Amino acid sequence: MAAAMSYVHADVENLKATELRLGLPGVEESDKMPSPPSTPRAGTKRALAGEHREVEPKAAPPAAKAQVVGWPPVRSYRKSCFQQASSKTKEAAPAPVVVKQEEAAVAAAPPAAAAAGGSLYVKVSMDGAPYLRKIDLKMYKGYRELREALEAMFLGFSGDAGSVNPSDFAVTYEDKDGDLMLVGDVPFGMFMSTCKRMRIMKGSEARGLGSSKE
Amino acid sequence: MGRGGARDGAAAAPPWHSLPDEVLEHAFSFLPAAADRGAAAAVCHGWLGAERRSRRRLAVANCYAAAPRDAVDRFPSVRAAEVKGKPHFADFGLVPPAWGAEAAPWVAAAADGWPLLEELSFKRMVVTDECLEMIASSFRNFQVLRLVSCEGFSTAGLAAITEGCRNLRELDLQENYIEDCSSHWLSYFPESFTSLETLNFSCLEGEVNFAVLERLVSRCRNLKTLKLNNAIPLDKVASLLRKAPQLVELGTGKFSAEYHSDLFAKLEAAFAGCKSLRRLSGAWDAVPDYLPAFYCVCEGLTSLNLSYATVRGPELIKFISRCKNLQQLWVMDLIEDHGLAVVAGSCSKLQELRVFPSDPFGAGQVLLTERGLVDVSASCPMLESVLYFCGQMTNEALITIAKNRPNFTCFRLCILEPRTPDYVTRESLDAGFSAIVESCKGLRRLSVSGLLTDLVFKSIGANGNCLEMLSIAFAGNSDLGLHYILSGCKTLKKLEIRDCPFGNKPLLANAAKLETMRSLWMSSCSLTLGACRQLAEKMPRLTVEIMNDPGRTCPVESLPDDSPVETLYVYRTIAGPRSDTPDYVQIV
């Protein structure tokens, strides 16, 4: 019985090691105990994973680092400036940087906006509105401008401007994982790279969620 | 004490213990340091009364350590007050919104008890527009408002200040989140208003009326500090400088434009006129071609803050190398090792260096290593304060740095990836950080990072005799680590710990120590509720706050002793438990 149990356990671990993901193997989301990227996670690889050897990390540090909350200790205020600064740096950066990113086949962190250039259109729906709109996220420098643009766009649907109460709305978005997130929590650059579509929630669902912080 | 003759001589001077208050107060006015005044107040009741009645400056390092009314009652003559709110880790997003630290009770108490208040400074607090309106209307001689890392107010509140504070000298807004309601706050300064000496609105996101700003700058002949925001274009910076050549400190705002030779000439001429300029900062999406416009002021600069500047390369380095009298340098790691080597060779008077990560989550393409810090610490004999973000470190480098610079008072090293070992030997960095604390006997502030075991804490506990603030993350292997710190470090005031395997035992064993400290923060460690309850019961003059997931709000009373505690924040207070905790904070 115990042997069977341990076989199942090993199987589950094995599954994890061989699971197909867009990130590099060895990089995991739940990072309570992250190990330094330069030491390969030998323990999680089994002999059976041999056929996946070609995706093992190369000498270059993995680009998609799991992000721990509040680490590195950089002020939130500074972080939002950096996101914009680093996307500019990436645009201006010499070729080798871009090549490494393509090699790593990253799905997460670096702002998609920087690499792509051009525009970043996402659909925006509002509860109760008859049709959706599309906006180009790259047109906006930050959350404040985005919010103003959304208000201007959807004002007509809520009757007259005077009756619009900001706390009755919550601006949310669907991120890469399909989760519904409240707009405004993460730095704007990070938001741009993870936002797939937006939804303006109204009424009782939204009450209390809507924040005028930004 | 009494000499025989003076004691019973009727015509002799009165014994020192019955000096009239005015004399005592005058004597105390020569003790500006709060610690000295506190010591004087502890001598006897007479001195206590004289000291507290004459205290002019009050610094409240934790807004919950005392009730605002009590503070105002105790020190009725205060002219300048500084209050700090949220714990330091709130800067890094570890404290959810609506945690507390409202400025309103302090403003209300001050309005009541300190009508002659001239200066108010808030850090990491929630300041509302109503607070600002109250400040503007309650203190007829209000002169200095400083808000650092605050939130909750808008430009409407600023308008109340500019309109209402007729004697305003300083409006200093540092890294606040300000809601932008309108750009007219600047226009509310009356045309007759000329007393401004400091204007810092660099953190404001919105537009300001440039014509109004220009007129303001023209008529305020005592303006020494002007820090612009990113909305001011480059050519306007030049014309402002021409109006205010007496500036000592300038924040240039965005400082970016395509290169035009006539704009360059304008800037160069404007800077040439600023003979008093000593401190320079700005966001500097700077086109490197503009940097030579600053060359004429380089020699005079003592402080350079390029920590928001994305400019890099040889022009940056050439520019910094001309600043031979620099005492304070804040840069991004875009300066890289070879840039710091140049700094080491050029800036021999450097006292403070901060190097920030340009890409905190990125793939580490920047060539900044331990080498840069070694070079600077070797060649800058006055260097005493360092904040350094980098990707790698070795014990050898730290030992060299410690040997070169025993005069460090502040050493904060952040290796970007948690638990990174010495990249050459693969060992922990215990030896390196131990060397730092052993060598730098005057060290007051320390932040450690990289792979560290309990041993480094043994060293810190034993050698950190002046240490006041210690920050620890992803370090240690057992309770022993925390025990070494709490049983050592005699002068420790603030301890902040995250993601370390420290548990209940050292906390309880050193409970009394916590009352000698200002505060303790522990998040993602191995604490349980039972220990926190015991701590709270044992130490009634501490407030023991537990933070859970904002989503989970079951009352703490219902949870068993072995429930894990995600975040613990403990601080000493004479005000008892606070009453403004949000759902996710519970006081045991």
Side-chain angles (χ1 to χ4, degrees):
Chain A
M1 195 58 184
M5 292 282 279
S6 65
Y7 173 77
V8 166
H9 180 69
D11 208 27
V12 167
E13 277 198 41
N14 214 13
L15 268 176
K16 213 162 166 44
T18 61
E19 119 192 347
L20 288 176
R21 298 183 292 168
L22 289 177
L24 289 173
V27 175
E28 286 181 341
E29 279 311 306
S30 63
D31 244 342
K32 266 294 176 182
M33 300 276 293
S35 55
S38 39
T39 56
R41 297 247 218 136
T44 61
K45 296 275 181 262
R46 309 277 173 184
L48 289 169
E51 64 261 36
H52 293 276
R53 194 134 300 166
E54 64 271 15
V55 268
E56 270 186 29
K58 301 182 178 59
K65 287 196 179 126
Q67 289 184 25
V68 180
V69 174
W71 190 265
V74 174
R75 279 196 182 183
S76 322
Y77 180 87
R78 188 177 279 282
K79 234 187 271 192
S80 49
C81 299
F82 277 178
Q83 285 297 133
Q84 293 167 29
S86 85
S87 59
K88 287 197 174 80
T89 321
K90 286 197 164 82
E91 279 173 23
V97 178
V98 176
V99 167
K100 276 205 163 69
Q101 290 194 4
E102 283 165 5
E103 271 181 3
V106 161
S119 49
L120 202 62
Y121 279 98
V122 296
K123 286 186 195 169
V124 186
S125 65
M126 172 155 141
D127 293 357
Y131 49 81
L132 280 66
R133 301 293 300 268
K134 261 204 162 166
I135 57 167
D136 178 4
L137 288 181
K138 293 193 81 179
M139 296 284 291
Y140 308 104
K141 287 193 299 228
Y143 284 121
R144 185 180 50 85
E145 283 175 17
L146 176 63
R147 205 185 180 84
E148 282 169 7
L150 290 175
E151 279 171 16
M153 225 182 244
F154 285 96
L155 216 48
F157 297 127
S158 0
D160 88 277
S163 68
V164 168
N165 184 0
S167 66
D168 285 342
F169 294 86
V171 183
T172 63
Y173 69 101
E174 187 187 301
D175 74 354
K176 273 203 269 285
D177 300 327
D179 295 322
L180 190 68
M181 314 284 293
L182 187 67
V183 164
D185 285 335
V186 299
F188 192 71
M190 202 191 294
F191 160 73
M192 277 207 292
S193 65
T194 55
C195 172
K196 289 282 154 278
R197 55 186 297 154
M198 297 176 68
R199 177 183 160 202
I200 303 176
M201 293 164 65
K202 268 179 74 170
S204 55
E205 263 191 271
R207 207 146 285 138
L209 286 180
S211 156
S212 57
K213 185 185 183 255
E214 71 275 3
Chain B
M1 298 309 164
R3 301 269 177 265
R7 229 163 196 231
D8 23 294
W16 62 269
H17 53 264
S18 65
L19 286 170
D21 280 350
E22 308 82 70
V23 176
L24 285 174
E25 289 173 21
H26 182 69
F28 294 151
S29 68
F30 293 97
L31 298 173
D36 293 334
R37 292 193 71 110
V43 165
C44 64
H45 281 297
W47 284 34
L48 177 71
E51 193 284 312
R52 74 173 188 83
R53 281 190 298 272
S54 61
R55 178 88 74 108
R56 284 283 193 268
R57 307 196 74 91
L58 185 67
V60 182
N62 176 1
C63 64
Y64 290 120
R69 301 258 157 210
D70 291 344
V72 171
D73 287 343
R74 186 183 154 108
F75 301 106
S77 308
V78 162
R79 297 280 186 272
E82 176 192 8
V83 187
K84 298 186 189 175
K86 298 185 206 172
H88 177 231
F89 275 177
D91 282 353
F92 316 131
L94 290 180
V95 175
W99 178 84
E102 309 242 342
W106 287 92
V107 176
D112 240 3
W114 291 332
L116 298 176
L117 190 70
E118 296 170 358
E119 292 184 27
L120 207 44
S121 178
F122 289 119
K123 183 169 183 178
R124 275 187 223 110
M125 294 186 74
V126 175
V127 178
T128 59
D129 284 346
E130 288 74 34
C131 288
L132 296 177
E133 283 157 22
M134 193 179 269
I135 291 171
S137 58
S138 308
F139 311 110
R140 56 188 159 78
N141 197 25
F142 197 71
Q143 297 173 24
V144 173
L145 180 65
R146 193 172 304 117
L147 300 176
V148 181
S149 299
C150 296
E151 50 169 355
F153 63 104
S154 75
T155 48
L158 291 180
I161 294 288
T162 57
E163 186 182 25
C165 300
R166 294 303 155 105
N167 296 319
L168 197 67
R169 279 188 298 113
E170 293 184 27
L171 180 57
D172 190 359
L173 307 169
Q174 298 178 28
E175 303 200 340
N176 304 289
Y177 286 101
I178 307 177
E179 178 119 12
D180 192 25
C181 288
S182 85
S183 57
H184 299 307
W185 61 277
L186 208 52
S187 314
Y188 283 91
F189 279 124
E191 286 299 320
S192 56
F193 173 80
T194 56
S195 50
L196 207 58
E197 293 170 20
T198 294
L199 180 62
N200 174 6
F201 59 96
S202 50
C203 60
L204 204 66
E205 285 192 356
E207 304 284 325
V208 292
N209 184 326
F210 184 74
V212 169
L213 175 63
E214 203 172 26
R215 281 202 304 278
L216 181 69
V217 167
S218 301
R219 66 180 187 272
C220 295
R221 302 317 311 161
N222 288 327
L223 193 67
K224 296 282 188 301
T225 296
L226 179 63
K227 296 173 92 164
L228 308 170
N229 72 349
N230 288 348
I232 310 277
L234 207 49
D235 58 325
K236 301 278 195 269
V237 175
S239 55
L240 281 174
L241 279 178
R242 278 201 308 278
K243 300 271 191 312
Q246 78 283 2
L247 280 182
V248 173
E249 177 164 11
L250 174 70
T252 63
K254 207 158 178 83
F255 207 80
S256 75
E258 284 188 11
Y259 183 79
H260 291 297
S261 57
D262 48 342
L263 181 50
F264 179 90
K266 261 177 105 177
L267 280 167
E268 199 179 27
F271 277 107
C274 294
K275 306 267 185 260
S276 310
L277 200 61
R278 296 286 171 269
R279 304 168 62 90
L280 193 58
S281 60
W284 293 34
D285 277 350
V287 174
D289 297 326
Y290 277 119
L291 290 185
F294 290 117
Y295 281 178
C296 48
V297 296
C298 284
E299 192 93 13
L301 286 183
T302 56
S303 167
L304 186 58
N305 180 355
L306 299 178
S307 61
Y308 288 99
T310 52
V311 65
R312 62 195 302 178
E315 290 85 1
L316 170 69
I317 296 167
K318 198 158 42 157
F319 170 70
I320 298 179
S321 70
R322 296 173 78 109
C323 302
K324 306 244 181 274
N325 291 306
L326 217 52
Q327 294 168 17
Q328 180 185 64
L329 176 63
W330 294 19
V331 276
M332 291 241 235
D333 57 6
L334 302 169
I335 194 173
E336 299 187 337
D337 283 342
H338 68 98
L340 284 178
V342 172
V343 169
S346 318
C347 308
S348 59
K349 301 191 183 163
L350 198 65
Q351 295 173 20
E352 180 183 326
L353 174 69
R354 295 196 192 185
V355 182
F356 294 91
S358 57
D359 198 5
F361 309 113
Q365 297 302 324
V366 170
L367 294 170
L368 182 90
T369 69
E370 76 280 8
R371 185 86 245 132
L373 187 56
V374 171
D375 285 343
V376 177
S377 64
S379 307
C380 300
M382 291 157 66
L383 187 69
E384 58 174 47
S385 174
V386 164
L387 169 62
Y388 200 78
F389 286 82
C390 64
Q392 61 183 49
M393 187 53 59
T394 61
N395 283 311
E396 187 186 340
L398 284 171
I399 291 167
T400 305
I401 291 165
K403 201 156 50 131
N404 285 329
R405 285 283 68 75
N407 49 324
F408 275 137
T409 54
C410 170
F411 188 78
R412 294 191 281 164
L413 177 65
C414 178
I415 303 167
L416 291 172
E417 183 68 26
R419 300 196 186 87
T420 304
D422 177 321
Y423 73 92
V424 171
T425 65
R426 313 304 302 164
E427 288 171 355
S428 75
L429 291 172
D430 290 349
F433 278 105
S434 296
I436 295 281
V437 288
E438 282 159 22
S439 167
C440 305
K441 308 246 184 274
L443 196 66
R444 290 201 296 271
R445 185 166 180 186
L446 176 66
S447 297
V448 298
S449 59
L451 185 66
L452 296 168
T453 72
D454 290 341
L455 286 176
V456 75
F457 299 117
K458 186 172 187 189
S459 198
I460 295 174
N463 292 292
N465 294 318
C466 293
L467 205 57
E468 294 177 3
M469 183 167 176
L470 178 60
S471 307
I472 306 171
F474 303 102
N477 7 47
S478 77
D479 284 352
L480 260 185
L482 181 57
H483 179 69
Y484 285 137
I485 297 296
L486 290 178
S487 57
C489 294
K490 300 194 282 274
T491 55
L492 195 62
K493 289 204 175 71
K494 275 164 67 168
L495 180 59
E496 47 187 27
I497 300 172
R498 61 163 296 176
D499 293 274
C500 297
F502 300 149
N504 301 323
K505 287 213 270 303
L507 197 64
L508 291 171
N510 294 286
K513 167 82 169 190
L514 298 180
E515 222 179 75
T516 69
M517 290 165 51
R518 191 185 301 162
S519 67
L520 165 68
W521 169 287
M522 286 178 71
S523 59
S524 305
C525 298
S526 310
L527 299 173
T528 62
L529 193 49
C532 298
R533 285 175 172 145
Q534 273 186 277
L535 181 65
E537 193 168 325
K538 204 167 161 186
M539 309 292 301
R541 281 193 299 232
L542 294 179
T543 289
V544 179
E545 294 193 13
I546 308 281
M547 268 207 292
N548 297 318
D549 270 330
R552 181 168 39 117
T553 56
C554 50
V556 80
E557 296 79 41
S558 64
L559 294 172
D561 273 351
D562 60 357
S563 316
V565 165
E566 174 54 32
T567 301
L568 171 73
Y569 182 51
V570 182
Y571 51 89
R572 64 183 175 193
T573 177
I574 54 172
R578 62 180 174 120
S579 52
D580 60 352
T581 50
D583 285 339
Y584 58 84
V585 171
Q586 282 158 346
I587 297 177
V588 291

